Amino acid sequence: MSEELNNKVQLKVRDNGSILVTGDVELVDAEGNPFETKPKFSLCRCGASKNKPFCDGSHKEIGFQDQIRAK
């Protein structure tokens, strides 16, 4: 497999949870300042994380529900 395919960015919307981000991606704030990330990280969708924009598992505590399916 080529290096380009190995570094392909994937965003996986998890049922009732976070967005899992994998691949070679840079996450920046509104001013262009980069966040420190790992090769795989999760972004908050529920709005309750105390570590935004990252997921801290708060969706489980608040009972977040939002199953999305691609069409």
Side-chain angles (χ1 to χ4, degrees):
M1 189 179 296
S2 74
E3 185 174 328
E4 181 179 315
L5 289 178
N6 286 335
N7 291 330
K8 182 178 178 181
V9 174
Q10 183 179 54
L11 304 175
K12 182 176 183 179
V13 180
R14 295 174 166 176
D15 289 347
N16 305 321
S18 65
I19 298 173
L20 178 64
V21 181
T22 57
D24 187 15
V25 62
E26 182 179 30
L27 180 64
V28 297
D29 67 14
E31 295 177 352
N33 302 305
F35 287 95
E36 186 175 325
T37 61
K38 298 177 181 178
K40 181 189 280 190
F41 59 93
S42 293
L43 296 173
C44 177
R45 275 200 313 143
C46 74
S49 175
K50 293 173 182 61
N51 189 30
K52 291 180 190 108
F54 303 103
C55 175
D56 69 359
S58 292
H59 59 274
K60 296 173 189 172
E61 295 172 17
I62 67 168
F64 178 73
Q65 293 188 340
D66 188 20
Q67 293 181 343
I68 296 176
R69 293 285 181 258
K71 294 180 182 191

